[in-house]
Amino acid sequence: MDLLTKTNKNLISSNKAHITALFFLDENTLLSANENGRVNIFSLNGENNFRSLATPILGIKQIIIMPNPNYIMISGNSNVTTIVDIKNFKIAHSKYIKFHAEINKIALLNNNSLLVALRNNKILHVELPGIATLKSLILHNSFEKAFELIEKEPMLQGSQEHKKLEEMFQNSYEDALNVLIDQKNILAMQILDAYKDIKCKQAIIRDLYHAFKYYPRFQELFLEKKYALAYVISFKYEPLKKTPEYKKMEEIFKLVFLNAQRHMMQNNLSRAKDLLSEYST
């Protein structure tokens, strides 16, 4: 306890090197950088509460979280920026972006580009490396190559273009699901054809087709009001939860549950159990 300020103070690190930058990743994780180019990470509530990494940037002045939060960008008394993988705590790119003069200040804009002020009083607007290529691939519907680029360049993960690409896939997925509900299997395959060779989407697409093999049985159980069995199938095959039958089942269950609650409040436990019995397996 500091008697003068009446506050509790804990020393988390003692180092002769001057601290030049601080950044809170979250309420329990603090990043610091110092004049000799080291980046330190402190876990404020864990046992392994300190790690340190040497970087090629001396006099680090800024720590910037990237669109992919597993990475940070650092800048200092240099004309280059360095990317640090804070998940695996290693240098990902020692010379990520190089400028013609020393960097003074950097701001990340819209997860896609940087606003950079240089020591020579020039201000630059620079896209993150790979963004232009990613935009072009999306524009030309080269989705497989676009996802491959994002896998190779993790800094593109979380960018506006990545979000756009994921949204396009999700829209196609929803369109395919809706035509599968109408039993138009060939049309569904045509809609998702552009994504069938993309590794990160193959399992999702395969699970969608597999789930709808059980859709006729799911519909039968719904029509027969065998809701417990229908729920079992929908929990096993998640895409069926987006069907009209599942949504209707949820509406019915909510009404039954509210009715059962009303009977319980009236101490009519037997009636409440009867109402909910059709949902037990």
Side-chain angles (χ1 to χ4, degrees):
M1 170 72 76
D2 186 318
L3 296 178
L4 182 63
T5 61
K6 295 183 180 180
T7 57
N8 287 319
K9 294 183 179 180
N10 293 315
L11 182 66
I12 58 175
S13 177
S14 179
N15 196 306
K16 292 181 180 180
H18 179 62
I19 294 174
T20 52
L22 289 172
F23 187 91
F24 273 96
L25 284 176
D26 53 50
E27 62 183 7
N28 294 313
T29 310
L30 174 66
L31 287 173
S32 76
N34 55 35
E35 59 188 356
N36 63 13
R38 296 197 76 86
V39 171
N40 307 305
I41 185 166
F42 303 92
S43 177
L44 304 181
N45 63 352
E47 293 182 0
N48 298 320
N49 61 351
F50 177 76
R51 298 178 73 184
S52 184
L53 178 71
T55 77
I57 305 293
L58 295 178
I60 298 169
K61 292 179 290 188
Q62 270 191 282
I63 300 172
I64 300 170
I65 193 74
M66 297 299 285
N68 181 343
N70 290 327
Y71 297 85
I72 58 169
M73 177 191 293
I74 57 173
S75 67
N77 300 329
S78 171
N79 66 333
V80 300
T81 63
T82 291
I83 297 293
V84 178
D85 179 346
I86 55 175
K87 183 178 180 180
N88 300 301
F89 220 63
K90 64 180 182 179
I91 302 296
H93 289 281
S94 59
K95 295 181 179 180
Y96 184 54
I97 305 177
K98 185 177 181 179
F99 300 94
H100 59 270
E102 186 177 315
I103 301 162
N104 184 31
K105 200 80 172 177
I106 297 179
L108 180 64
L109 303 177
N110 301 320
N111 289 341
N112 265 18
S113 59
L114 302 172
L115 191 64
V116 185
L118 301 178
R119 281 290 183 189
N120 61 6
N121 295 324
K122 289 188 177 181
I123 296 177
L124 307 176
H125 180 253
V126 182
E127 285 190 329
L128 294 180
I131 287 290
T133 303
L134 184 57
K135 283 181 179 178
S136 177
L137 291 172
I138 294 172
L139 181 64
H140 294 91
N141 294 330
S142 299
F143 300 137
E144 185 178 359
K145 290 182 179 179
F147 277 105
E148 285 177 355
L149 176 61
I150 290 168
E151 186 177 353
K152 291 176 182 177
E153 286 290 342
M155 267 59 68
L156 295 176
Q157 293 175 15
S159 66
Q160 292 298 317
E161 297 306 314
H162 181 208
K163 291 176 182 177
K164 179 180 178 181
L165 185 62
E166 291 288 355
E167 185 179 342
M168 292 172 72
F169 169 75
Q170 190 59 38
N171 290 338
S172 295
Y173 180 91
E174 295 290 340
D175 290 342
L177 189 147
N178 288 331
V179 299
L180 283 170
I181 289 172
D182 294 331
Q183 299 181 346
K184 298 177 181 177
N185 296 358
I186 295 176
L187 180 56
M189 294 177 69
Q190 291 173 346
I191 292 171
L192 291 174
D193 185 67
Y195 302 94
K196 65 179 174 41
D197 294 324
I198 298 172
K199 290 182 179 179
C200 64
K201 301 302 179 188
Q202 287 176 339
I204 299 171
I205 294 171
R206 184 172 61 249
D207 290 346
L208 175 65
Y209 294 149
H210 186 64
F212 271 84
K213 291 180 180 179
Y214 296 89
Y215 187 43
R217 177 57 179 160
F218 179 70
Q219 288 176 306
E220 288 176 11
L221 293 171
F222 171 76
L223 293 172
E224 294 170 3
K225 297 185 179 181
K226 295 179 180 179
Y227 299 135
L229 292 175
Y231 270 115
V232 169
I233 290 180
S234 64
F235 289 150
K236 189 173 182 180
Y237 306 107
E238 289 284 325
L240 296 180
K241 290 183 178 180
K242 294 181 178 289
T243 61
E245 290 83 3
Y246 182 84
K247 293 174 183 177
K248 186 63 178 177
M249 277 202 319
E250 287 286 87
E251 291 176 9
I252 294 169
F253 176 73
K254 287 176 183 178
L255 291 173
V256 171
F257 186 77
L258 288 172
N259 199 14
Q261 278 187 319
R262 181 173 58 83
H263 281 289
M264 289 181 71
M265 292 174 67
Q266 296 171 352
N267 290 322
N268 190 356
L269 297 181
S270 61
R271 178 55 183 154
K273 288 181 179 179
D274 288 341
L275 288 169
L276 294 173
S277 62
E278 59 186 301
Y279 293 95
S280 61
T281 55

